[in-house]
């Protein structure tokens, strides 16, 4: 957020028009008028240009000054508001901006000026050289980031007229930017007196901005982005600097766990902070889904479990979209602390950037920083199940009507050629044709995406209970392996128990028997060993033959 001081504007009342408040009320259309009668933008510009000529003295305009239109607003009743920036002998004037207000017929009403000071200088040649101003700004950026070894530090001095801080004076406005030790951008603008070298003001210029994006799966979603100059970066400073980049359909070149070459993650930028079109052929739309999924996952862990980021340290990860060609997968990589999403082959799957997939992938990061469940055998199945469980809970927590919560995994990404409606099912995992509903001694020999079914089945039973039911408009049927009847205790308690077990009681080698013990310990910690929740955990594990 910028720390530049706010300067109270002065209102100029003209031609007998009394001064009014800064907020303009939109009047109703005159009798008989229609929206088609409203002046166009071009007409408003013509009216404002005429007003500038007629009222130049009152606006403080002289032969040494020029103006440039920044914005035009035309109200429903035809009232026009034209906003200008001002230059003095070709130099930008800080505090020189003003807004001209015009009646529906184009007649001048009044104006708002950032400052009312008359701008005049004896000359525009600085005594302080630009390199010295740049050095002062670089020092200011370092001072604002103590203890950081800044990389790729750049400075860009610009000569301006400062009319914001007292009498107008010549000044250097220097933008200093760098990357911190995590690769996140840091930037500061320093305003320096061009005559004396004294600092006038300084403010951060990497600003968080609220935008929105048209996603593939979640409709139009809110996005926190970073303003950089006149454009925006798909990077969220409010969530640890998490960002999304384009992998340009390239892939990593890795030998075992060492990647010699990584696909890029070229940061997405946008001019107006409205991202994507929602169409598959628009490359930014998949990025919107990935960034939104990151936001939703971050918020779930923060809001529900009090966890500050995936690693619990407030630091963000990053996303790569458009990885490879027709790549039917998404994956988390601990070595880069990043998520990677393929576009799918278009026949069986589309881009794998749905909300529950994003929650699934980021939850692998949480697991890696907590229990670090080994990715093989029964521990590997529990690792995958942890991501399915939390990916599902992220989807419910997001409460997005375009992608409502359910117990189906990846239902948004599958296509007709896939042959079923979801990647996996939590109520009866065997519906996918490969996953296990019930534990047996051969479970550890299955692929971890299939041995995860037992824990997914447990989680569904613990949350919703056994038998047939409809939840959120989706019909489910979850039989038990031992013929018992299980009563659910709700998603919130499922999440609390599993998170407590993962972060406090599970270890890298936890198997299904150990998971039963860990979740019982977690339920005892949270609700007591004589509680209904503790009993429900035991009953749900017994119902999937872990007992």
């Amino acid at each position: 957020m910028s720390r530049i001081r706010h300067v109270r504007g002065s209102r100029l009342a003209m031609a007998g028009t009394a001064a009014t408040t800064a907020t303009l009320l939109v009047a109703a259309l005159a009798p008989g008028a229609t929206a088609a009668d409203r002046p166009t933008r071009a007409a408003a510009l013509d009216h404002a240009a005429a007003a500038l000529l007629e009222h130049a003295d009152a606006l403080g305009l002289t032969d040494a000054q020029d103006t440039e239109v920044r914005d035009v607003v035309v109200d429903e009743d035809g009232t026009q508001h034209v906003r200008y920036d001002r230059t003095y002998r070709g130099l930008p004037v800080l505090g020189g901006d003003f807004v001209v207000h015009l009646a529906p017929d184009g007649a001048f009403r009044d104006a708002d000026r950032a400052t009312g000071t008359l701008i005049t200088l004896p000359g525009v040649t600085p005594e302080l050289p630009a390199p010295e101003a740049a050095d002062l700004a670089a020092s200011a950026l370092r001072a604002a980031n103590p203890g950081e070894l800044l990389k790729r530090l750049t400075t860009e001095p610009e000569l301006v007229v400062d009319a914001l801080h007292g009498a107008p004076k010549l000044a250097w406005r220097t933008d200093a930017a760098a990357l911190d030790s995590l690769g996140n951008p840091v930037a500061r603008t320093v305003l320096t007196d061009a005559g004396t070298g004294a600092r006038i003001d300084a403010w951060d210029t990497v600003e968080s901005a609220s935008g929105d994006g048209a996603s593939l799966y979640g409709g139009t979603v809110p996005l926190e982005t970073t303003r950089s100059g006149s454009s925006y970066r798909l990077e969220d400073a409010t969530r640890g600097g998490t960002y999304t980049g384009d992998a340009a359909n390239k892939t990593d070149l890795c030998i075992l766990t060492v990647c010699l070459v990584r696909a890029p993650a070229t940061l997405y930028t946008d001019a107006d902070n409205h991202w994507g079109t929602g169409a598959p052929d628009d490359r930014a739309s998949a990025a919107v889904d990935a960034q939104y999924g990151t936001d939703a996952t971050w918020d779930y862990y923060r809001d529900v479990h009090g966890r500050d980021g995936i690693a619990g340290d407030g630091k963000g990860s990053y996303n790569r979209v458009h990885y490879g060609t027709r790549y039917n997968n998404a994956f988390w990589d601990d070595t880069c602390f990043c998520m990677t999403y393929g576009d799918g082959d278009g026949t069986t799957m589309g881009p794998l950037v749905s909300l529950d997939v994003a929650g699934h992938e980021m939850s692998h990061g949480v697991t890696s920083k907590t229990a670090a469940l080994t990715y093989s055998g029964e521990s590997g199945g529990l690792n995958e199940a942890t991501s399915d469980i939390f990916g599902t809970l992220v989807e419910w927590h997001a409460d997005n009507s375009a992608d409502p919560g359910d117990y189906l995994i990846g239902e948004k990404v599958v296509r007709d050629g896939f042959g079923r409606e979801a990647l996996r099912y939590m109520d009866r995992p065997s519906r996918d044709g490969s996953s296990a509903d019930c534990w047996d001694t051969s479970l550890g020999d299955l692929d971890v995406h299939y041995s995860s079914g037992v824990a997914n089945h447990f989680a569904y039973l613990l949350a919703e209970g056994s038998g047939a039911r409809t939840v959120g408009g989706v019909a489910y049927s979850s039989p038990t392996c031992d013929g018992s009847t299980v009563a659910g205790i709700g998603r919130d308690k499922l999440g609390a128990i599993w998170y407590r077990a993962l972060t406090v009681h599970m270890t890298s080698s936890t198997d299904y028997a150990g998971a039963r013990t860990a979740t019982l310990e977690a339920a005892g910690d949270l609700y007591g060993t004589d509680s209904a929740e503790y009993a429900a955990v035991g009953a749900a594990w017994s119902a999937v033959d872990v007992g």
Side-chain angles (χ1 to χ4, degrees):
M1 179 178 294
S2 172
R3 290 198 289 269
I4 190 169
R5 293 199 297 270
H6 295 287
V7 181
R8 180 174 300 176
S10 59
R11 171 161 291 277
L12 187 68
M14 305 294 297
T17 303
T20 62
T21 61
T23 302
L24 295 174
L25 300 178
V26 178
L29 283 170
T34 67
D37 297 324
R38 277 192 297 164
T40 63
R41 175 187 173 93
L45 289 173
D46 289 342
H47 297 154
L52 262 59
L53 289 174
E54 184 177 356
H55 302 284
D57 290 344
L59 292 169
L61 296 173
T62 65
D63 291 341
Q65 298 180 44
D66 203 351
T67 58
E68 182 177 353
V69 175
R70 189 198 304 175
D71 193 23
V72 178
V73 174
V74 180
D75 293 339
E76 290 292 330
D77 71 339
T79 301
Q80 302 138 61
H81 316 276
V82 182
R83 184 179 299 275
Y84 288 92
D85 289 313
R86 181 190 317 242
T87 61
Y88 178 84
R89 297 188 183 178
L91 301 179
V93 178
L94 306 186
D97 55 297
F98 61 95
V99 186
V100 171
H101 307 291
L102 306 158
D105 63 359
F108 180 80
R109 284 184 170 175
D110 56 14
D112 286 306
R113 293 174 61 182
T115 61
T117 306
L118 181 64
I119 300 170
T120 179
L121 298 176
V124 291
T125 301
E127 295 183 26
L128 181 75
E132 291 188 26
D135 289 344
L136 291 171
S139 297
L141 182 63
R142 292 189 186 98
N145 294 273
E148 284 282 358
L149 182 61
L150 300 182
K151 298 170 290 186
R152 293 170 56 185
L153 197 157
T154 61
T155 53
E156 295 183 12
E158 179 187 23
L159 198 60
V160 300
V161 175
D162 173 35
L164 281 175
H165 305 86
K169 63 182 71 69
L170 203 61
W172 287 107
R173 179 175 59 186
T174 306
D175 294 328
L179 299 178
D180 65 16
S181 58
L182 299 174
N184 296 318
V186 292
R188 195 157 176 79
T189 294
V190 180
L191 195 62
T192 307
D193 191 312
T196 66
R199 181 187 299 184
I200 300 171
D201 203 350
W203 57 91
D204 292 333
T205 49
V206 175
E207 303 173 4
S208 176
S210 296
D212 58 65
S215 70
L216 297 177
Y217 303 125
T220 299
V221 297
L223 296 171
E224 288 296 320
T225 61
T226 298
R227 184 163 187 166
S228 180
S230 60
S231 65
Y232 299 87
R233 301 155 58 102
L234 195 52
E235 182 174 26
D236 188 348
T238 71
R239 296 178 176 89
T242 300
Y243 68 91
T244 298
D246 192 334
N249 299 108
K250 297 180 180 179
T251 58
D252 298 332
L253 175 59
C254 302
I255 300 175
L256 298 179
T257 60
V258 178
C259 287
L260 305 177
V261 178
R262 284 198 182 276
T266 304
L267 185 64
Y268 279 90
T269 60
D270 188 80
D272 62 4
N273 215 15
H274 300 292
W275 304 76
T277 65
D281 59 356
D282 174 68
R283 294 186 75 85
S285 296
V288 169
D289 284 273
Q291 188 73 15
Y292 169 63
T294 300
D295 293 350
T297 304
W298 182 289
D299 291 353
Y300 167 76
Y301 281 107
R302 179 197 62 202
D303 298 346
V304 177
H305 303 298
R307 187 176 187 85
D308 188 18
I310 298 309
D313 59 3
K315 298 175 182 177
S317 53
Y318 69 93
N319 306 312
R320 297 183 298 180
V321 295
H322 305 303
Y323 180 87
T325 301
R326 297 170 59 83
Y327 184 63
N328 272 341
N329 206 354
F331 60 89
W332 169 266
D333 187 341
D334 285 336
T335 62
C336 64
F337 205 63
C338 68
M339 288 82 67
T340 301
Y341 300 92
D343 289 328
D345 60 13
T347 301
T348 60
M349 281 187 271
L352 284 93
V353 290
S354 65
L355 185 54
D356 54 357
V357 172
H360 174 109
E361 299 306 335
M362 291 184 73
S363 293
H364 278 305
V366 174
T367 297
S368 75
K369 295 298 182 181
T370 54
L373 290 157
T374 302
Y375 205 63
S376 63
E378 291 190 11
S379 298
L382 289 167
N383 190 317
E384 272 297 314
T386 295
S387 284
D388 279 350
I389 291 166
F390 286 128
T392 294
L393 295 176
V394 165
E395 190 178 67
W396 282 99
H397 182 261
D399 194 25
N400 184 330
S401 61
D403 186 9
D406 53 49
Y407 293 97
L408 310 174
I409 306 298
E411 75 283 356
K412 286 289 188 178
V413 307
V414 298
R415 299 292 182 262
D416 291 343
F418 192 70
R420 58 179 189 270
E421 62 180 330
L423 299 176
R424 290 186 292 280
Y425 305 82
M426 297 187 73
D427 62 326
R428 185 159 51 90
S430 61
R431 290 168 64 191
D432 66 13
S434 301
S435 293
D437 292 334
C438 311
W439 184 88
D440 64 35
T441 57
S442 65
L443 188 68
D445 297 329
L446 293 179
D447 180 278
V448 295
H449 294 87
Y450 303 142
S451 61
S452 62
V454 175
N456 283 347
H457 192 192
F458 158 82
Y460 175 87
L461 289 170
L462 184 61
E464 302 294 345
S466 58
R469 67 191 65 240
T470 299
V471 183
V474 180
Y476 303 98
S477 180
S478 189
T480 59
C481 303
D482 63 355
S484 63
T485 298
V486 175
I489 60 174
R491 291 183 295 275
D492 292 346
K493 291 180 178 178
L494 159 66
I497 290 168
W498 197 271
Y499 183 79
R500 173 77 177 176
L502 180 74
T503 56
V504 175
H505 297 294
M506 291 184 181
T507 67
S508 60
S509 63
T510 296
D511 57 10
Y512 269 94
R516 177 187 172 105
T517 300
T519 50
L520 283 169
E521 288 175 333
D525 295 342
L526 296 170
Y527 308 107
T529 56
D530 60 349
S531 64
E533 291 83 0
Y534 186 91
V537 170
W541 279 123
S542 295
V544 296
D545 286 346
V546 179

